[in-house]
Amino acid sequence: MSTRSVGPEITRLIEMMSKLPGMGPRSARRAALHLLKKPDQLLAPLSRAMADAAQKVSQCQVCGNFDTLNPCAVCQSGGRDESVICVLADVGDLWAMERSGVFRGRYHVLGGSLSALDGIGPEDLNIARLISRAGEVHVKEVILALNATVDGQTTAHYVADQLETIGVKVSRLAHGVPVGGELGSLDDGTIAAAFSSRR
Amino acid sequence: MSTRSVGPEITRLIEMMSKLPGMGPRSARRAALHLLKKPDQLLAPLSRAMADAAQKVSQCQVCGNFDTLNPCAVCQSGGRDESVICVLADVGDLWAMERSGVFRGRYHVLGGSLSALDGIGPEDLNIARLISRAGEVHVKEVILALNATVDGQTTAHYVADQLETIGVKVSRLAHGVPVGGELGSLDDGTIAAAFSSRR
């Protein structure tokens, strides 16, 4: 285009929006346009919310959670059981666990799963810190709440091996039929696991 | 949750992200987490791009385009044919037209389509300003590039009627088979339109 019809600010906004997960060039343009149409109700407040988060949120030095406090609110809370640590791959998993409301202990976020394919080894994950935390005298149990994928289970095996050396109790989430799940749409592995763990 | 496990800044970020088109609570959490993981490469720059756009971009008083200039770069450009005005429903359509590179005249953005269902009447659209622009002595043709939907075509009819009174030439985009489109996947209306307009 010989004359500029879309200004650099708009081009930049679209380009940055397209870096969000699940956004292609088309949906990024659509989102940018939606924002531009509501500058005061949406664009400016979203910008401020992002600036706020960028400035105040950091990764907890103890467990790897994201929070404005460091150590995070979960690690600082006196109301949570410090004898149990729930190990997760990702902060998103921690959020999911909190939404379920079943767990009242502490967390530890590994920051990913072991993956030979992606070249992610034990030293790339927050494992050393977990071993040191699990060795503290008040810790009675470590729950491995890792993904039921090949990489997730590889990671669980590796972490369990490491924890065995320090003699702490290690448990894992049960496999089975998801609540609301239909048998016909489940894979063989899940059905087999649910069958062999029947109560 | 009795203890706060996700801080207010993160909650607010997720809530704002979920207002983007196509984002549900789940994808908003995913996007927020993605941003939090890259505070310096993504979260802060995106926030700045948004603040920049919110501060500098406005709607062109002549044609309704979004730009940092007002009148916008297209309206100000001496290199574009001011005898032709292309009428569009939305700024997104203007961007699409510019990407195609076929049009070198001026634009006019209506800001929507007439819709009895949504209660959008002629006074809600940027139509009065179009009629006044189209009446200027240098304007020879108005191209109605409106959506091929019921609302879009209703709007085109209405606008064409208004323009008839001032005696300017009015044209519309052709209907037909989209380039790359397969006949078998087209609706009857498109095939009928393409057949009757065959050359």
Side-chain angles (χ1 to χ4, degrees):
Chain A
M1 289 182 262
S2 61
T3 53
R4 129 200 185 300
S5 52
V6 177
E9 288 80 6
I10 298 177
T11 307
R12 170 107 183 117
L13 178 62
I14 296 172
E15 184 198 306
M16 292 300 305
M17 293 296 293
S18 72
K19 294 184 180 169
L20 289 174
M23 286 261 184
R26 188 186 284 258
S27 48
R29 281 197 297 268
R30 189 162 142 249
L33 195 58
H34 185 76
L35 290 170
L36 287 168
K37 284 179 184 170
K38 300 180 174 181
D40 300 328
Q41 306 98 296
L42 201 49
L43 184 53
L46 180 53
S47 159
R48 279 194 298 272
M50 287 183 172
D52 232 34
Q55 205 184 341
K56 298 183 189 165
V57 175
S58 67
Q59 198 141 27
C60 173
Q61 65 200 41
V62 177
C63 76
N65 187 13
F66 284 121
D67 201 351
T68 36
L69 306 174
N70 197 348
C72 75
V74 175
C75 285
Q76 285 194 29
S77 166
R80 300 187 69 123
D81 183 357
E82 59 175 2
S83 72
V84 194
I85 297 176
C86 177
V87 179
L88 307 146
D90 197 88
V91 174
D93 302 335
L94 188 159
W95 293 351
M97 192 61 96
E98 283 295 296
R99 283 196 303 277
S100 80
V102 292
F103 182 64
R104 304 298 305 149
R106 306 295 168 106
Y107 289 109
H108 192 89
V109 179
L110 295 181
S113 300
L114 295 176
S115 169
L117 213 63
D118 297 335
I120 299 172
E123 66 288 351
D124 300 312
L125 302 179
N126 192 13
I127 293 179
R129 177 105 189 95
L130 169 65
I131 306 306
S132 121
R133 285 183 72 193
E136 288 167 19
V137 67
H138 55 260
V139 176
K140 303 276 178 276
E141 181 180 359
V142 174
I143 303 170
L144 301 179
L146 299 172
N147 297 325
T149 57
V150 172
D151 285 351
Q153 294 306 298
T154 307
T155 312
H157 268 291
Y158 179 87
V159 171
D161 277 354
Q162 300 284 306
L163 290 170
E164 215 160 72
T165 61
I166 57 170
V168 72
K169 182 182 162 196
V170 177
S171 62
R172 300 190 191 200
L173 295 191
H175 288 308
V177 182
V179 176
E182 293 176 335
L183 276 193
S185 63
L186 287 177
D187 63 299
D188 301 349
T190 301
I191 293 178
F195 186 83
S196 67
S197 306
R198 68 188 180 279
R199 299 183 301 175
Chain B
M1 292 180 260
S2 60
T3 54
R4 125 201 190 299
S5 53
V6 178
E9 287 79 6
I10 297 178
T11 307
R12 170 107 182 117
L13 177 62
I14 294 172
E15 184 198 305
M16 292 298 305
M17 292 297 292
S18 72
K19 294 186 180 169
L20 289 174
M23 286 263 184
R26 187 185 284 257
S27 49
R29 282 197 297 268
R30 190 163 143 250
L33 194 57
H34 185 77
L35 290 171
L36 287 168
K37 283 178 184 170
K38 300 183 174 179
D40 300 328
Q41 307 97 297
L42 202 49
L43 184 52
L46 180 53
S47 160
R48 278 194 299 273
M50 286 182 174
D52 231 34
Q55 206 185 341
K56 296 183 190 163
V57 175
S58 66
Q59 197 141 27
C60 172
Q61 65 201 39
V62 177
C63 76
N65 187 14
F66 285 119
D67 201 351
T68 36
L69 305 174
N70 197 346
C72 75
V74 175
C75 285
Q76 284 193 29
S77 166
R80 299 187 71 123
D81 184 357
E82 59 175 3
S83 72
V84 193
I85 298 175
C86 177
V87 179
L88 307 145
D90 197 88
V91 174
D93 302 334
L94 187 158
W95 292 351
M97 192 63 94
E98 283 295 297
R99 283 196 304 278
S100 80
V102 291
F103 182 64
R104 305 299 306 148
R106 306 295 168 104
Y107 289 110
H108 193 89
V109 179
L110 295 181
S113 300
L114 295 176
S115 168
L117 212 63
D118 297 335
I120 299 173
E123 65 287 352
D124 300 312
L125 302 179
N126 193 12
I127 293 179
R129 177 103 188 95
L130 169 65
I131 306 305
S132 120
R133 284 183 74 193
E136 287 168 20
V137 66
H138 55 261
V139 177
K140 304 277 178 274
E141 181 180 359
V142 173
I143 303 171
L144 301 179
L146 299 172
N147 297 325
T149 57
V150 172
D151 285 351
Q153 294 306 298
T154 306
T155 313
H157 268 289
Y158 179 86
V159 171
D161 277 353
Q162 301 283 305
L163 290 170
E164 214 160 73
T165 60
I166 56 170
V168 72
K169 183 182 163 194
V170 176
S171 63
R172 300 188 191 201
L173 295 191
H175 287 308
V177 182
V179 175
E182 293 176 335
L183 276 193
S185 63
L186 287 176
D187 64 298
D188 301 348
T190 301
I191 293 178
F195 187 83
S196 67
S197 306
R198 68 188 179 278
R199 298 184 300 175

